[in-house]
Amino acid sequence: MTVGYGFNALLTAKPGKADQLVDLLLTGMDDGNPASSEHCLVYLVCRSASDPDVVHVTEGWTSEADHHRLFAGEAAQAIVAEVQQLVTGESPYTDYIPVGGKATF
């Protein structure tokens, strides 16, 4: 499978909530959650090296349709609702079409 759609989101946690935000985002890979799907090929949660409250999420999906279908599901919406309680303001979101690269863990 190849990545046909991806995005990056920048989340700013409320003071003292970044660890909780990271832990919550990583549950996205648990069985039954969207990032555990065969259609999610890249799911990367990163902390900013310069700002302890900033968290970046990068995702790569087989297609935009697969992402939207899974993101609309109950499991994803439950995570989103919890994330919204932990972040401040709007979270910049950039979608893209990957052209190459590598993700190995």
Side-chain angles (χ1 to χ4, degrees), residues 55-102:
V55 178
H56 298 268
V57 179
T58 300
E59 296 187 25
W61 291 81
T62 51
S63 72
E64 186 174 1
D66 289 328
H67 170 261
H68 291 313
R69 178 176 48 79
L70 286 158
F71 199 74
E74 193 174 307
Q77 290 305 303
I79 292 172
V80 168
E82 287 186 58
V83 164
Q84 290 174 341
Q85 301 301 311
L86 299 173
V87 299
T88 62
E90 292 293 315
S91 299
Y93 176 95
T94 305
D95 61 346
Y96 47 77
I97 298 170
V99 295
K102 181 179 179 178

Side-chain angles (χ1 to χ4, degrees), residues 10-31:
L10 184 146
L11 307 169
T12 302
K14 292 178 180 176
K17 298 293 184 180
D19 288 340
Q20 189 176 349
L21 177 60
V22 167
D23 291 344
L24 174 62
L25 290 167
L26 290 174
T27 68
M29 295 185 300
D30 293 349
D31 284 343

Side-chain angles (χ1 to χ4, degrees), residues 36-59:
S36 70
S37 165
E38 65 183 4
H39 300 287
C40 182
L41 304 176
V42 177
Y43 188 76
L44 182 61
V45 177
C46 301
R47 298 288 290 267
S48 169
S50 60
D51 186 338
D53 292 329
V54 172
V55 178
H56 298 268
V57 179
T58 300
E59 296 187 25

